[in-house]
Amino acid sequence: MAAVDLYWLPLGAGGHFVRLNGRIYEALTARLQRRPACDLYHSALQVELPEGTFVIEQAPVHDWSGKVRGVVAEGAVGARWAGRFRIFRYEIRLWRYGHIPDVAEAVDSPRPLSDREACARRVLELVPRVPTPVWGRDQLGTGEMWNSNSVIAWVIARSGIDAESIRPPKRGRAPGWQAGIAVAQRKDRKSRAAPTPQDRPTADR
């Protein structure tokens, strides 16, 4: 039995400060783009395999017990230099038997993405390879800031699941999602362009 499920969590679920800041950000962004304000969402994955259930998510670094949460990578928040301080770092979790905080507030979830074991294992293999640019910045030149949605979209797209067809809940928006897809597509193009061992020239040719 295998499954890859996507969860949509309202931005700031369980925390009024983050939720308020998110609403202010979205109100200003919507005004600049001349569109109605949307609900903002943060995404996470849950992968089920015969050996256990895994949670994949990007979140702030809370303490030094990263191994307990299956942390496989970290990055800076806001600016590269700020990453020297724990409060300005994020972590990427591949948490066996873990849980998604505030999952009770998830909307239109879980959303099944795949029930193939090979796909589920591919997802797990990709998580430690996720790029870790500065959170909230567009260091990779995608036209959109990198954040937790970028991480999830990158993993989904690289695993072979159609990430571009996935939409957040009705009247919602997932900032950073397209950034993850764009970076994943670049990686795929480079992989296809790389010569295979048979294509590489040898001394006998």
Side-chain angles (χ1 to χ4, degrees):
M1 181 178 179
V4 180
D5 293 326
L6 174 68
Y7 286 79
W8 291 114
L9 301 144
L11 183 67
H16 297 296
F17 180 74
V18 175
R19 181 173 293 180
L20 176 61
N21 284 347
R23 286 177 177 172
I24 294 172
Y25 163 80
E26 175 59 10
L28 293 174
T29 302
R31 186 178 181 87
L32 289 173
Q33 296 177 353
R34 298 182 179 180
R35 59 169 176 78
C38 301
D39 297 324
L40 298 184
Y41 287 92
H42 156 77
S43 54
L45 290 175
Q46 182 170 287
V47 176
E48 292 185 20
L49 283 165
E51 63 266 33
T53 300
F54 299 80
V55 166
I56 300 165
E57 187 179 28
Q58 184 199 75
V61 175
H62 292 295
D63 50 44
W64 302 110
S65 60
K67 289 184 178 180
V68 175
R69 298 184 298 277
V71 173
V72 295
E74 292 187 3
V77 173
R80 184 68 64 186
W81 64 265
R84 292 178 293 176
F85 306 98
R86 179 171 58 82
I87 193 173
F88 292 114
R89 289 208 306 277
Y90 66 80
E91 61 187 32
I92 297 175
R93 301 170 182 169
L94 178 56
W95 192 358
R96 187 175 183 179
Y97 302 125
H99 65 278
I100 300 173
D102 307 304
V103 69
E105 297 190 46
V107 178
D108 190 19
S109 302
R111 188 175 297 184
L113 301 182
S114 177
D115 60 1
R116 294 184 295 113
E117 183 172 338
C119 181
R121 294 196 182 280
R122 173 68 174 160
V123 167
L124 298 190
E125 291 172 1
L126 286 165
V127 178
R129 308 180 198 172
V130 174
T132 54
V134 174
W135 185 97
R137 300 278 298 277
D138 183 19
Q139 288 189 316
L140 302 180
T142 64
E144 191 177 35
M145 67 178 179
W146 188 269
N147 59 23
S148 59
N149 290 324
S150 310
V151 169
I152 299 302
W154 186 93
V155 171
I156 291 173
R158 292 281 289 134
S159 71
I161 297 170
D162 183 9
E164 291 189 272
S165 67
I166 298 173
R167 296 289 181 269
K170 191 175 181 181
R171 293 186 295 275
R173 198 165 72 86
W177 188 266
Q178 291 303 317
I181 294 175
V183 176
Q185 290 174 340
R186 289 178 193 169
K187 182 68 174 178
D188 286 338
R189 285 195 294 269
K190 288 181 180 179
S191 298
R192 288 194 295 269
T196 63
Q198 293 80 6
D199 295 331
R200 295 191 184 103
T202 68
D204 296 329
R205 293 183 183 178

